[in-house]
Amino acid sequence: MINFTIFAPLNIIIKDMGKIISLANQKGGVGKTTTTINLAASLAALDKKVLVVDADPQANASSGLGINIREIAYSIYECIIDKVDSREAIVPTEVPNLYIMPSHIDLVGAEIEMLNFDNREKVLKGILDKIKDNYDYILIDCSPSLGLITVNALTAADSVIIPVQCEYFALEGISKLLNTIKIIKSKLNPSLDIEGFVLTMYDSRLRLANQIYEEVKKHFGDMVFTTVIQRNIKLSEAPSYGQPVLLYDPESKGSQNHMQLAQEIINKTKN
């Protein structure tokens, strides 16, 4: 059993209420869900109360945090479509301070069912606004698409984290996502900010990985997090055990990287 107190920062913690961060990139395979799960667990270990909202029909964030979606009473789908109270859909995880609103494959059809809703782009915002101040951070794991559910997630968010993998096509599609963020900021959510770009699957031995990092830094400057998420076998294995890497192997490089990222976000929130 992990003693979570060893992760607590030594300085006095300032209570930061209710920041909603969407993790989005319409390009699949960039480590978005992995980052969501492990960043959330790390924030929780740093004495923050955290809610993960799984807004992806694949429900990988749910299973990665040990939730059997066949056994849950309600999911984000019922909250959106059937107006179920969000508190009935939220379940605790194995990590103290960490909760999740799980997803379900039914969410695939939600976008069609929402077409006739009033203010259909703001349904999730209405759901989360009611519970926002119950948490320090709410992290929304978006699907790898720019459909109506993702638009809802960005409309509900205060900021967005964009995971970028250190691969050849790293910058592919980012301009499309940035354009979507710009449109949402102008029409639906004027306060939406980019929290930052986080480099994932980084291997310092590869010249390409270093080139991608330099390219992203050149384009986005201070918007790029100092922390990079390195390639790590423990990070890849942990979801199959229904655990964040913090529980699966707290000493691993993947766990350390996400703790550093969590601390960077907390420090940024304070400033």
Side-chain angles (χ1 to χ4, degrees):
M1 189 68 184
I2 296 172
N3 177 8
F4 280 89
T5 59
I6 66 173
F7 295 111
L10 296 176
N11 54 312
I12 297 172
I13 297 172
I14 300 172
K15 194 75 170 169
D16 302 309
M17 290 305 292
K19 184 166 192 179
I20 302 177
I21 304 175
S22 285
L23 285 92
N25 192 328
Q26 84 277 10
K27 189 176 186 303
V30 300
K32 175 180 52 58
T33 298
T34 299
T35 303
T36 304
I37 291 170
N38 292 292
L39 174 58
S42 298
L43 287 167
L46 289 169
D47 206 31
K48 300 298 181 183
K49 189 176 180 183
V50 185
L51 172 66
V52 170
V53 176
D54 191 349
D56 186 346
Q58 297 178 85
N60 290 333
S62 302
S63 60
L65 285 173
I67 306 301
N68 185 342
I69 61 173
R70 290 186 294 273
E71 296 178 355
I72 59 173
Y74 301 111
S75 70
I76 186 175
Y77 172 83
E78 285 79 20
C79 295
I80 291 173
I81 302 302
D82 300 328
K83 306 295 187 289
V84 167
D85 189 320
S86 58
R87 287 165 292 194
E88 294 190 50
I90 294 170
V91 293
T93 71
E94 199 176 340
V95 179
N97 290 328
L98 179 57
Y99 301 81
I100 184 166
M101 181 187 293
S103 186
H104 193 278
I105 191 63
D106 288 350
L107 194 61
V108 169
E111 295 195 357
I112 296 173
E113 296 178 73
M114 292 168 69
L115 288 178
N116 294 323
F117 282 18
D118 293 331
N119 292 319
R120 62 191 180 208
E121 298 89 356
K122 297 185 177 181
V123 176
L124 186 57
K125 176 177 172 58
I127 291 168
L128 297 183
D129 277 353
K130 296 173 184 174
I131 58 172
K132 182 175 181 179
D133 287 343
N134 296 336
Y135 301 91
D136 295 302
Y137 293 95
I138 297 177
L139 302 186
I140 308 176
D141 185 37
C142 300
S143 65
S145 71
L146 294 178
L148 187 54
I149 298 295
T150 299
V151 169
N152 264 261
L154 294 173
T155 302
D158 298 303
S159 62
V160 56
I161 289 176
I162 303 171
V164 181
Q165 87 280 31
C166 291
E167 302 287 355
Y168 182 72
F169 294 111
L171 301 179
E172 183 185 79
I174 286 182
S175 59
K176 188 176 180 181
L177 175 62
L178 293 177
N179 189 53
T180 300
I181 291 170
K182 183 179 178 182
I183 292 168
I184 288 173
K185 192 175 173 71
S186 66
K187 297 184 182 299
L188 295 168
N189 184 4
S191 61
L192 181 63
D193 292 321
I194 294 178
E195 189 77 20
F197 295 81
V198 58
L199 275 293
T200 63
M201 306 179 193
Y202 179 78
D203 187 339
S204 60
R205 299 168 300 177
L206 300 178
R207 188 196 306 177
L208 177 62
N210 291 298
Q211 288 174 342
I212 296 298
Y213 179 81
E214 292 303 324
E215 190 76 10
V216 174
K217 276 294 268 185
K218 185 174 79 174
H219 276 81
F220 303 111
D222 291 342
M223 294 167 69
V224 182
F225 286 106
T226 302
T227 304
V228 297
I229 309 300
Q230 295 169 275
R231 282 196 181 275
N232 179 244
I233 188 65
K234 299 298 184 181
L235 202 54
S236 302
E237 291 174 352
S240 65
Y241 292 86
Q243 293 183 326
V245 72
L246 183 69
L247 290 183
Y248 182 66
D249 188 346
E251 302 300 322
S252 68
K253 184 62 72 175
S255 180
Q256 293 170 13
N257 289 163
H258 284 94
M259 288 295 292
Q260 291 163 3
L261 180 62
Q263 190 63 66
E264 196 172 344
I265 288 170
I266 290 170
N267 292 341
K268 191 174 181 181
T269 303
K270 288 177 184 177
N271 294 333

